[in-house]
Amino acid sequence: MPDGDARDLSGAAAVAGLGITEVGKVYGQTSAQLAADAVLRAVADAGLRIADIDGLLTSNGITGGGSFLLADTLGLRDLRLNVTLSAAGATASAAVQYGALAVATGMCNAVVYVHADAPLAAPGASASAAYAFAPSSPLEGLRGVARSNRLHGANPLYALATRRHMERYGTTTEHLGAIAVAQRAWASRSPLATMRDPITLADHQASRWIAEPLRLLDCCLVSNGGIAFVITSAERARDLAQPPVYVWGWGQGHPGYSMERGCEFGLVSGAGMSGAAAMGMAGIKPADVDVCELYDCYTFTVLITLEDYGFCAKGDGGPFAASGALGPGGSLPTNTGGGQLSGYYLWGVTPLSEAVIQARGQGGERQAPARDMVLVSGNGGVLDYHGTIVLSPHPK
């Protein structure tokens, strides 16, 4: 990270409002309607009016419903910032970074970031967009070979990444199961979670294969809903309705895997780069982190992210998870709302929303015992795109 610049902005912005619609198997609303609802909830949560918002950041999601045109729906006028962002599951982390930059530099007074999606169709309706959706990457080079052999979509590619890690480091399916079990234990304490019934390692091992070595309980949910955040200056946030959640650090990391022999696909993710940048900006080390809210499209994503952030040595993610460190009572509470595996799946806003709840101390039965430093990750593509945010209830 370049000297000076980013560190000078550490703690200059804060998340002041959080709006969460009903999430999960929620039918009858478009993603645009869910987005508008989430924004109004977030603005009210902060104790502001919609007229106080002068910046809007949106993300497309699976169904492509997020758009800068949301400003018209909300009646927002004279915006200084109105942009639709897309970095897949890393979009939320990037949006916090850009929103924080906008308010810290005086470009905006209050920025709203919103993500909403409605890929699930009601029972009996036609197939949902979630299952029709496919990335539009070009059929060129090695990616073209993979696609022509029907190796396409997230499940088989993450299965390849997982298998490579297993072959190199001895990671097992039981290690992955420990992550699923820990997150379900957290979900059982969360009223927002879709899947709240506790599971055991035996339940994980009995769940059907999706793409070997990934089982059903290794894979995230598909959910409808919307979540929005109000970002403003640290000084202004202190006078608003909710406890401020200060943005201490941010970073991005995009390895751009070549998928050729010798690349680190499945062994290293962009978390190493983005985590070092975010923690460096915040002036902390992994040992200072109290709570992790990690992007968990699959259990393996959690495992490799923990390694790349430095919470354990490379190759030790499996034993670390199996030690019980991640669940209630563990040394590193992780995905305390159940994450995207058991809570709800709304791209990177799932871990971000839970991080704000934890930093505020509003987690109720699932509140982590310490919350001075909360680390949030976003992951997009197949470990291709990564973002990291460090949040704290304390001013810098």
Side-chain angles (χ1 to χ4, degrees):
M1 182 182 68
D3 291 337
D5 299 344
R7 280 186 283 265
D8 291 344
L9 295 175
S10 178
V15 178
L18 172 64
I20 305 177
T21 70
E22 188 179 356
V23 293
K25 296 179 180 180
V26 182
Y27 308 113
Q29 297 184 73
T30 66
S31 55
Q33 290 170 326
L34 290 164
D37 184 12
V39 169
L40 294 175
R41 290 173 186 242
V43 172
D45 182 64
L48 294 172
R49 302 168 302 149
I50 196 71
D52 295 320
I53 304 303
D54 57 0
L56 178 65
L57 297 172
T58 54
S59 61
N60 281 327
I62 295 173
T63 52
S67 168
F68 54 86
L69 298 176
L70 181 64
D72 294 334
T73 303
L74 292 167
L76 292 169
R77 299 289 181 266
D78 300 319
L79 293 178
R80 300 180 183 184
L81 175 67
N82 186 9
V83 177
T84 299
L85 304 172
S86 182
T91 306
S93 299
V96 172
Q97 176 181 344
Y98 300 144
L101 282 167
V103 299
T105 58
M107 178 179 175
C108 295
N109 292 314
V111 175
V112 166
Y113 165 59
V114 60
H115 171 87
D117 239 335
L120 277 179
S126 59
S128 72
Y131 303 112
F133 175 80
S136 57
S137 58
L139 298 177
E140 299 175 353
L142 292 176
R143 293 185 186 275
V145 172
R147 185 75 64 84
S148 65
N149 284 278
R150 299 185 180 181
L151 184 64
H152 106 107
N155 290 336
L157 292 173
Y158 269 94
L160 278 178
T162 307
R163 178 61 71 189
R164 189 176 190 200
H165 197 278
M166 287 176 162
E167 295 296 326
R168 175 69 63 89
Y169 298 115
T171 303
T172 68
T173 181
E174 289 83 3
H175 290 150
L176 301 179
I179 295 171
V181 171
Q183 293 193 195
R184 184 63 67 86
W186 284 116
S188 69
R189 304 179 177 200
S190 172
L192 296 175
T194 302
M195 310 296 288
R196 300 186 64 187
D197 292 337
I199 58 173
T200 65
L201 186 57
D203 294 326
H204 173 270
Q205 294 292 287
S207 66
R208 63 184 174 88
W209 294 115
I210 297 299
E212 193 174 353
L214 297 176
R215 300 176 182 273
L216 178 65
L217 291 178
D218 290 311
C219 304
C220 68
L221 303 168
V222 179
S223 307
N224 293 348
I227 301 180
F229 309 83
V230 176
I231 303 169
T232 190
S233 69
E235 182 179 3
R236 188 180 190 194
R238 287 191 280 272
D239 295 327
L240 297 181
Q242 294 289 344
V245 177
Y246 299 96
V247 184
W248 276 43
W250 59 66
Q252 296 185 38
H254 312 292
Y257 295 117
S258 64
M259 300 302 288
E260 298 173 352
R261 179 179 296 176
C263 82
E264 295 185 308
F265 175 73
L267 305 178
V268 177
S269 74
M273 180 187 296
S274 69
M279 285 186 266
M281 178 178 174
I284 66 169
K285 297 179 180 179
D288 298 316
V289 174
D290 298 302
V291 183
C292 280
E293 305 296 347
L294 305 183
Y295 196 92
D296 57 325
C297 46
Y298 301 90
T299 50
F300 176 67
T301 312
V302 175
L303 187 150
I304 194 172
T305 302
L306 288 167
E307 292 180 351
D308 290 342
Y309 278 158
F311 292 110
C312 59
K314 177 54 66 177
D316 285 347
F320 183 65
S323 74
L326 311 182
S331 60
L332 186 66
T334 297
N335 293 345
T336 52
Q340 300 175 143
L341 295 173
S342 290
Y344 48 88
Y345 178 83
L346 286 174
W347 269 13
V349 295
T350 300
L352 182 59
S353 60
E354 181 65 15
V356 171
I357 291 169
Q358 288 290 322
R360 285 178 172 182
Q362 297 174 349
E365 188 181 351
R366 70 186 188 278
Q367 180 64 48
R371 57 187 174 94
D372 294 331
M373 291 293 156
V374 183
L375 189 72
V376 186
S377 80
N379 169 81
V382 186
L383 307 174
D384 289 299
Y385 317 110
H386 210 94
T388 306
I389 302 293
V390 177
L391 300 176
S392 177
H394 306 297
K396 189 68 180 288

